[in-house]
mmCIF file with all atom_site columns, all heavy atoms in Angstrom:
data_model
loop_
_atom_site.group_PDB
_atom_site.id
_atom_site.type_symbol
_atom_site.label_atom_id
_atom_site.label_alt_id
_atom_site.label_comp_id
_atom_site.label_asym_id
_atom_site.label_entity_id
_atom_site.label_seq_id
_atom_site.pdbx_PDB_ins_code
_atom_site.Cartn_x
_atom_site.Cartn_y
_atom_site.Cartn_z
_atom_site.occupancy
_atom_site.B_iso_or_equiv
_atom_site.pdbx_formal_charge
_atom_site.auth_seq_id
_atom_site.auth_comp_id
_atom_site.auth_asym_id
_atom_site.auth_atom_id
_atom_site.pdbx_PDB_model_num
ATOM   1   N N   . TYR A 1 246 ? -16.388 -3.598 -34.923 1.00 97.00 ? 246 TYR A N   1
ATOM   2   C CA  . TYR A 1 246 ? -17.165 -2.632 -35.696 1.00 97.00 ? 246 TYR A CA  1
ATOM   3   C C   . TYR A 1 246 ? -17.227 -3.121 -37.142 1.00 97.00 ? 246 TYR A C   1
ATOM   4   O O   . TYR A 1 246 ? -16.212 -3.173 -37.834 1.00 97.00 ? 246 TYR A O   1
ATOM   5   C CB  . TYR A 1 246 ? -16.495 -1.244 -35.716 1.00 97.00 ? 246 TYR A CB  1
ATOM   6   C CG  . TYR A 1 246 ? -16.434 -0.501 -34.398 1.00 97.00 ? 246 TYR A CG  1
ATOM   7   C CD1 . TYR A 1 246 ? -16.805 -1.083 -33.201 1.00 97.00 ? 246 TYR A CD1 1
ATOM   8   C CD2 . TYR A 1 246 ? -15.983 0.819  -34.372 1.00 97.00 ? 246 TYR A CD2 1
ATOM   9   C CE1 . TYR A 1 246 ? -16.727 -0.382 -32.014 1.00 97.00 ? 246 TYR A CE1 1
ATOM   10  C CE2 . TYR A 1 246 ? -15.905 1.522  -33.188 1.00 97.00 ? 246 TYR A CE2 1
ATOM   11  C CZ  . TYR A 1 246 ? -16.268 0.918  -32.013 1.00 97.00 ? 246 TYR A CZ  1
ATOM   12  O OH  . TYR A 1 246 ? -16.179 1.620  -30.850 1.00 97.00 ? 246 TYR A OH  1
ATOM   13  N N   . LYS A 1 248 ? -19.973 -2.050 -39.144 1.00 97.00 ? 248 LYS A N   1
ATOM   14  C CA  . LYS A 1 248 ? -20.840 -1.119 -39.851 1.00 97.00 ? 248 LYS A CA  1
ATOM   15  C C   . LYS A 1 248 ? -20.671 0.261  -39.221 1.00 97.00 ? 248 LYS A C   1
ATOM   16  O O   . LYS A 1 248 ? -20.533 0.366  -37.993 1.00 97.00 ? 248 LYS A O   1
ATOM   17  C CB  . LYS A 1 248 ? -22.277 -1.620 -39.638 1.00 97.00 ? 248 LYS A CB  1
ATOM   18  C CG  . LYS A 1 248 ? -23.252 -1.125 -40.597 1.00 97.00 ? 248 LYS A CG  1
ATOM   19  C CD  . LYS A 1 248 ? -24.602 -1.761 -40.361 1.00 97.00 ? 248 LYS A CD  1
ATOM   20  C CE  . LYS A 1 248 ? -25.606 -0.832 -40.966 1.00 97.00 ? 248 LYS A CE  1
ATOM   21  N NZ  . LYS A 1 248 ? -26.947 -1.238 -40.741 1.00 97.00 ? 248 LYS A NZ  1
ATOM   22  N N   . GLN A 1 253 ? -20.451 8.487  -37.659 1.00 98.00 ? 253 GLN A N   1
ATOM   23  C CA  . GLN A 1 253 ? -19.163 8.054  -38.229 1.00 98.00 ? 253 GLN A CA  1
ATOM   24  C C   . GLN A 1 253 ? -19.166 8.212  -39.749 1.00 98.00 ? 253 GLN A C   1
ATOM   25  O O   . GLN A 1 253 ? -18.176 8.642  -40.336 1.00 98.00 ? 253 GLN A O   1
ATOM   26  C CB  . GLN A 1 253 ? -18.882 6.604  -37.819 1.00 98.00 ? 253 GLN A CB  1
ATOM   27  C CG  . GLN A 1 253 ? -18.627 6.464  -36.323 1.00 98.00 ? 253 GLN A CG  1
ATOM   28  C CD  . GLN A 1 253 ? -18.725 5.032  -35.802 1.00 98.00 ? 253 GLN A CD  1
ATOM   29  O OE1 . GLN A 1 253 ? -19.018 4.102  -36.548 1.00 98.00 ? 253 GLN A OE1 1
ATOM   30  N NE2 . GLN A 1 253 ? -18.491 4.857  -34.497 1.00 98.00 ? 253 GLN A NE2 1
ATOM   31  N N   . GLY A 1 273 ? -24.435 7.431  -27.093 1.00 96.00 ? 273 GLY A N   1
ATOM   32  C CA  . GLY A 1 273 ? -24.167 6.012  -27.368 1.00 96.00 ? 273 GLY A CA  1
ATOM   33  C C   . GLY A 1 273 ? -24.124 5.658  -28.832 1.00 96.00 ? 273 GLY A C   1
ATOM   34  O O   . GLY A 1 273 ? -24.243 4.486  -29.190 1.00 96.00 ? 273 GLY A O   1
ATOM   35  N N   . LYS A 1 276 ? -19.611 8.398  -31.181 1.00 97.00 ? 276 LYS A N   1
ATOM   36  C CA  . LYS A 1 276 ? -18.887 9.632  -31.494 1.00 97.00 ? 276 LYS A CA  1
ATOM   37  C C   . LYS A 1 276 ? -17.379 9.476  -31.254 1.00 97.00 ? 276 LYS A C   1
ATOM   38  O O   . LYS A 1 276 ? -16.583 10.088 -31.946 1.00 97.00 ? 276 LYS A O   1
ATOM   39  C CB  . LYS A 1 276 ? -19.453 10.801 -30.667 1.00 97.00 ? 276 LYS A CB  1
ATOM   40  C CG  . LYS A 1 276 ? -20.895 11.162 -31.066 1.00 97.00 ? 276 LYS A CG  1
ATOM   41  C CD  . LYS A 1 276 ? -21.410 12.393 -30.380 1.00 97.00 ? 276 LYS A CD  1
ATOM   42  C CE  . LYS A 1 276 ? -21.740 12.212 -28.918 1.00 97.00 ? 276 LYS A CE  1
ATOM   43  N NZ  . LYS A 1 276 ? -22.866 11.261 -28.674 1.00 97.00 ? 276 LYS A NZ  1
ATOM   44  N N   . THR A 1 277 ? -17.020 8.671  -30.276 1.00 98.00 ? 277 THR A N   1
ATOM   45  C CA  . THR A 1 277 ? -15.590 8.535  -29.948 1.00 98.00 ? 277 THR A CA  1
ATOM   46  C C   . THR A 1 277 ? -14.806 8.020  -31.155 1.00 98.00 ? 277 THR A C   1
ATOM   47  O O   . THR A 1 277 ? -13.774 8.582  -31.534 1.00 98.00 ? 277 THR A O   1
ATOM   48  C CB  . THR A 1 277 ? -15.401 7.575  -28.749 1.00 98.00 ? 277 THR A CB  1
ATOM   49  O OG1 . THR A 1 277 ? -16.387 7.895  -27.764 1.00 98.00 ? 277 THR A OG1 1
ATOM   50  C CG2 . THR A 1 277 ? -14.024 7.697  -28.147 1.00 98.00 ? 277 THR A CG2 1
ATOM   51  N N   . ASP A 1 543 ? -19.503 4.770  -20.903 1.00 98.00 ? 543 ASP A N   1
ATOM   52  C CA  . ASP A 1 543 ? -20.031 3.711  -21.757 1.00 98.00 ? 543 ASP A CA  1
ATOM   53  C C   . ASP A 1 543 ? -19.854 2.388  -21.006 1.00 98.00 ? 543 ASP A C   1
ATOM   54  O O   . ASP A 1 543 ? -18.797 1.775  -21.052 1.00 98.00 ? 543 ASP A O   1
ATOM   55  C CB  . ASP A 1 543 ? -19.236 3.703  -23.073 1.00 98.00 ? 543 ASP A CB  1
ATOM   56  C CG  . ASP A 1 543 ? -19.769 2.692  -24.049 1.00 98.00 ? 543 ASP A CG  1
ATOM   57  O OD1 . ASP A 1 543 ? -20.972 2.695  -24.326 1.00 98.00 ? 543 ASP A OD1 1
ATOM   58  O OD2 . ASP A 1 543 ? -18.960 1.869  -24.537 1.00 98.00 ? 543 ASP A OD2 1
ATOM   59  N N   . ARG A 1 568 ? -26.954 6.942  -20.553 1.00 98.00 ? 568 ARG A N   1
ATOM   60  C CA  . ARG A 1 568 ? -26.034 5.901  -20.030 1.00 98.00 ? 568 ARG A CA  1
ATOM   61  C C   . ARG A 1 568 ? -26.617 4.524  -20.291 1.00 98.00 ? 568 ARG A C   1
ATOM   62  O O   . ARG A 1 568 ? -25.937 3.517  -20.149 1.00 98.00 ? 568 ARG A O   1
ATOM   63  C CB  . ARG A 1 568 ? -25.789 6.077  -18.523 1.00 98.00 ? 568 ARG A CB  1
ATOM   64  C CG  . ARG A 1 568 ? -25.067 7.330  -18.066 1.00 98.00 ? 568 ARG A CG  1
ATOM   65  C CD  . ARG A 1 568 ? -23.902 7.718  -18.930 1.00 98.00 ? 568 ARG A CD  1
ATOM   66  N NE  . ARG A 1 568 ? -24.267 8.754  -19.879 1.00 98.00 ? 568 ARG A NE  1
ATOM   67  C CZ  . ARG A 1 568 ? -23.767 8.867  -21.111 1.00 98.00 ? 568 ARG A CZ  1
ATOM   68  N NH1 . ARG A 1 568 ? -22.884 8.012  -21.574 1.00 98.00 ? 568 ARG A NH1 1
ATOM   69  N NH2 . ARG A 1 568 ? -24.143 9.842  -21.914 1.00 98.00 ? 568 ARG A NH2 1
ATOM   70  N N   . ARG A 1 571 ? -27.547 2.090  -25.268 1.00 96.00 ? 571 ARG A N   1
ATOM   71  C CA  . ARG A 1 571 ? -26.418 2.495  -26.097 1.00 96.00 ? 571 ARG A CA  1
ATOM   72  C C   . ARG A 1 571 ? -26.168 1.521  -27.232 1.00 96.00 ? 571 ARG A C   1
ATOM   73  O O   . ARG A 1 571 ? -26.362 0.320  -27.085 1.00 96.00 ? 571 ARG A O   1
ATOM   74  C CB  . ARG A 1 571 ? -25.165 2.645  -25.219 1.00 96.00 ? 571 ARG A CB  1
ATOM   75  C CG  . ARG A 1 571 ? -25.344 3.744  -24.174 1.00 96.00 ? 571 ARG A CG  1
ATOM   76  C CD  . ARG A 1 571 ? -24.164 3.834  -23.260 1.00 96.00 ? 571 ARG A CD  1
ATOM   77  N NE  . ARG A 1 571 ? -22.970 4.378  -23.881 1.00 96.00 ? 571 ARG A NE  1
ATOM   78  C CZ  . ARG A 1 571 ? -22.772 5.649  -24.173 1.00 96.00 ? 571 ARG A CZ  1
ATOM   79  N NH1 . ARG A 1 571 ? -23.720 6.543  -23.898 1.00 96.00 ? 571 ARG A NH1 1
ATOM   80  N NH2 . ARG A 1 571 ? -21.643 6.046  -24.731 1.00 96.00 ? 571 ARG A NH2 1
ATOM   81  N N   . CYS A 1 572 ? -25.741 2.085  -28.317 1.00 95.00 ? 572 CYS A N   1
ATOM   82  C CA  . CYS A 1 572 ? -25.289 1.281  -29.445 1.00 95.00 ? 572 CYS A CA  1
ATOM   83  C C   . CYS A 1 572 ? -26.359 0.276  -29.902 1.00 95.00 ? 572 CYS A C   1
ATOM   84  O O   . CYS A 1 572 ? -26.063 -0.876 -30.176 1.00 95.00 ? 572 CYS A O   1
ATOM   85  C CB  . CYS A 1 572 ? -24.007 0.565  -29.006 1.00 95.00 ? 572 CYS A CB  1
ATOM   86  S SG  . CYS A 1 572 ? -22.946 0.170  -30.368 1.00 95.00 ? 572 CYS A SG  1
HETATM 87  N N1  . ATP B 2 .   ? -19.534 1.260  -35.702 1.00 72.03 ? 1   ATP B N1  1
HETATM 88  C C1  . ATP B 2 .   ? -19.708 0.662  -34.541 1.00 72.03 ? 1   ATP B C1  1
HETATM 89  N N2  . ATP B 2 .   ? -20.044 -0.638 -34.489 1.00 72.03 ? 1   ATP B N2  1
HETATM 90  C C2  . ATP B 2 .   ? -20.231 -1.251 -33.297 1.00 72.03 ? 1   ATP B C2  1
HETATM 91  N N3  . ATP B 2 .   ? -20.102 -0.657 -32.100 1.00 72.03 ? 1   ATP B N3  1
HETATM 92  C C3  . ATP B 2 .   ? -19.765 0.645  -32.106 1.00 72.03 ? 1   ATP B C3  1
HETATM 93  C C4  . ATP B 2 .   ? -19.553 1.367  -33.302 1.00 72.03 ? 1   ATP B C4  1
HETATM 94  N N4  . ATP B 2 .   ? -19.217 2.623  -32.984 1.00 72.03 ? 1   ATP B N4  1
HETATM 95  C C5  . ATP B 2 .   ? -19.221 2.692  -31.652 1.00 72.03 ? 1   ATP B C5  1
HETATM 96  N N5  . ATP B 2 .   ? -19.553 1.516  -31.114 1.00 72.03 ? 1   ATP B N5  1
HETATM 97  C C6  . ATP B 2 .   ? -19.686 1.212  -29.671 1.00 72.03 ? 1   ATP B C6  1
HETATM 98  O O1  . ATP B 2 .   ? -20.811 1.939  -29.208 1.00 72.03 ? 1   ATP B O1  1
HETATM 99  C C7  . ATP B 2 .   ? -20.634 2.311  -27.846 1.00 72.03 ? 1   ATP B C7  1
HETATM 100 C C8  . ATP B 2 .   ? -20.941 3.787  -27.673 1.00 72.03 ? 1   ATP B C8  1
HETATM 101 O O2  . ATP B 2 .   ? -19.960 4.540  -28.353 1.00 72.03 ? 1   ATP B O2  1
HETATM 102 P P1  . ATP B 2 .   ? -19.446 5.933  -27.770 1.00 72.03 ? 1   ATP B P1  1
HETATM 103 O O3  . ATP B 2 .   ? -19.103 5.795  -26.338 1.00 72.03 ? 1   ATP B O3  1
HETATM 104 O O4  . ATP B 2 .   ? -18.411 6.440  -28.680 1.00 72.03 ? 1   ATP B O4  1
HETATM 105 O O5  . ATP B 2 .   ? -20.787 6.777  -27.895 1.00 72.03 ? 1   ATP B O5  1
HETATM 106 P P2  . ATP B 2 .   ? -20.988 8.355  -27.801 1.00 72.03 ? 1   ATP B P2  1
HETATM 107 O O6  . ATP B 2 .   ? -21.760 8.753  -28.982 1.00 72.03 ? 1   ATP B O6  1
HETATM 108 O O7  . ATP B 2 .   ? -19.674 9.027  -27.607 1.00 72.03 ? 1   ATP B O7  1
HETATM 109 O O8  . ATP B 2 .   ? -21.901 8.467  -26.520 1.00 72.03 ? 1   ATP B O8  1
HETATM 110 P P3  . ATP B 2 .   ? -22.026 9.670  -25.434 1.00 72.03 ? 1   ATP B P3  1
HETATM 111 O O9  . ATP B 2 .   ? -22.781 10.779 -26.102 1.00 72.03 ? 1   ATP B O9  1
HETATM 112 O O10 . ATP B 2 .   ? -22.785 9.070  -24.319 1.00 72.03 ? 1   ATP B O10 1
HETATM 113 O O11 . ATP B 2 .   ? -20.638 10.080 -25.081 1.00 72.03 ? 1   ATP B O11 1
HETATM 114 C C9  . ATP B 2 .   ? -19.207 1.940  -27.509 1.00 72.03 ? 1   ATP B C9  1
HETATM 115 O O12 . ATP B 2 .   ? -19.219 0.741  -26.766 1.00 72.03 ? 1   ATP B O12 1
HETATM 116 C C10 . ATP B 2 .   ? -18.536 1.728  -28.830 1.00 72.03 ? 1   ATP B C10 1
HETATM 117 O O13 . ATP B 2 .   ? -17.484 0.803  -28.772 1.00 72.03 ? 1   ATP B O13 1
#
Side-chain angles (χ1 to χ4, degrees):
Y246 293 8
K248 200 176 158 184
Q253 293 164 358
K276 293 186 287 295
T277 316
D543 183 52
R568 295 318 98 214
R571 297 176 71 75
C572 206

